[in-house]
Amino acid sequence: APLALLPAWLGYAVFMGGTLWGFLTGLRRLAPDGAVPALILFTPVVLVTLRCGQNGLLTGALIAWACCGLLAGRAWAGVPLGLMVIKPHLAVAFAAYVVLSGRWSVAATAAATALSVSLAATAALGPDVWIALAGSVREAKVFLAEGYYPLFRMVSPYAALHTLGAGAAVAMAGQVAAALLALAAVAWASRRLPVRHALGVVAVASLLISPYAYDYDLTIVAVGLALLLPDLTRCDRPGERGAVYALCVVAGGFGLGQSAVLSARFGPVPELVPGDMPLSLSGLCLVVLLGLLVGLLARARRAEPALTVR
């Protein structure tokens, strides 16, 4: 809200510059060896976020700093995690991990942070914000079912199945199945993997929970890959690392590529007909990516029986 008081160009510069700095510093602090490779793989995600002025760098920064705190075993990890109340559907996997791993001080801090900022927003902007939120949720449900959103830029299994011709009910069933598998991966990782690897799995799984997720939200997956990439060389086989790289690039760049094609054909703001949406593949790429990473880490754990979760 304060940024809206500034000239548009200055508000954009402050928001995008500040969130980019928070994302880059958090990623570097979290995974010094994996930050640059992850940024290279997800360059299209950073570019599309900067291009449209979205909040992907902010959520990516919050998740990166939350992971820093979780790795250090600090209760303050709950502060950035609690601030994810701005987009809670992207933090469900992390909430599950915190509970399953018994990080109760982190859970309490996150809950207190989310409650505090919600009360502060209500005091500053008035209770009508909650009416607007309820209306937005109803609108999103209808828009998803009818295909009014640019599904080709969405990264959920729902969007992929819907653009492949499945009806809304079938696509949602696929989304629910993918979300349950993602949560199962989170539960397995929280019990079986070292914290660094577990957080990497959780970050990738987090984008598979909700049907409402866009390409700019993949900064969270970049955090997970930054945690995992340095160790993939010890547990992959020929071609597996290349498959991980290819899945990341396609997931992050497919929507941007589709946007470029549509802009070239129909102009910068193409009018799309609901039910005739260009193909979305990113959600399916994320499902395969999560399965591949879980398989690689499970094989590495079997090869190193002394591996523990700490």
Side-chain angles (χ1 to χ4, degrees):
L3 291 177
L5 303 175
L6 300 175
W9 67 269
L10 183 57
Y12 169 88
V14 171
F15 180 71
M16 298 311 300
T19 56
L20 177 62
W21 176 83
F23 177 64
L24 295 178
T25 55
L27 203 61
R28 181 67 177 175
R29 171 75 175 272
L30 176 66
D33 296 330
V36 172
L39 283 172
I40 292 173
L41 290 174
F42 288 93
T43 295
V45 176
V46 175
L47 292 177
V48 76
T49 306
L50 292 171
R51 180 176 178 269
C52 63
Q54 261 293 349
N55 52 31
L57 295 171
L58 173 59
T59 53
L62 291 175
I63 291 300
W65 284 104
C67 288
C68 286
L70 288 167
L71 275 176
R74 304 296 186 184
W76 63 258
V79 174
L81 196 57
L83 291 175
M84 281 296 293
V85 71
I86 61 172
K87 300 190 82 170
H89 57 293
L90 300 181
V92 172
F94 282 92
Y97 170 78
V98 167
V99 172
L100 290 170
S101 58
R103 307 292 188 95
W104 303 118
S105 60
V106 175
T109 303
T113 300
L115 179 61
S116 298
V117 297
S118 297
L119 291 174
T122 305
L125 302 173
D128 285 351
V129 294
W130 299 104
I131 299 174
L133 173 63
S136 179
V137 171
R138 288 193 298 269
E139 179 185 87
K141 182 179 179 181
V142 173
F143 278 28
L144 275 173
E146 299 297 329
Y148 285 103
Y149 287 127
L151 298 180
F152 62 93
R153 284 194 54 201
M154 285 190 162
V155 296
S156 63
Y158 173 89
L161 293 172
H162 208 3
T163 60
L164 285 169
V170 174
M172 187 57 71
Q175 177 66 49
V176 171
L180 291 175
L181 289 173
L183 290 174
V186 170
W188 173 80
S190 67
R191 299 294 183 184
R192 301 292 185 180
L193 296 181
V195 176
R196 177 174 293 274
H197 293 169
L199 290 174
V201 170
V202 173
V204 177
S206 64
L207 266 290
L208 292 173
I209 304 298
S210 171
Y212 190 91
Y214 278 97
D215 46 11
Y216 49 78
D217 295 318
L218 287 170
T219 50
I220 296 175
V221 177
V223 172
L225 266 293
L227 286 165
L228 296 174
L229 283 175
D231 294 326
L232 284 184
T233 56
R234 297 190 298 108
C235 57
D236 61 2
R237 292 172 179 168
E240 290 176 333
R241 202 182 328 162
V244 169
Y245 294 164
L247 289 166
C248 291
V249 171
V250 174
F254 192 82
L256 183 62
Q258 287 277 51
S259 296
V261 171
L262 290 171
S263 295
R265 292 181 60 189
F266 304 112
V269 187
E271 293 186 7
L272 301 174
V273 178
D276 189 25
M277 190 67 61
L279 187 64
S280 172
L281 286 181
S282 297
L284 299 182
C285 289
L286 289 182
V287 172
V288 177
L289 176 63
L290 179 62
L292 179 57
L293 291 173
V294 167
L296 291 173
L297 294 170
R299 190 172 70 220
R301 183 180 179 277
R302 289 193 298 269
E304 300 179 48
L307 198 66
T308 63
V309 297
R310 295 293 177 189

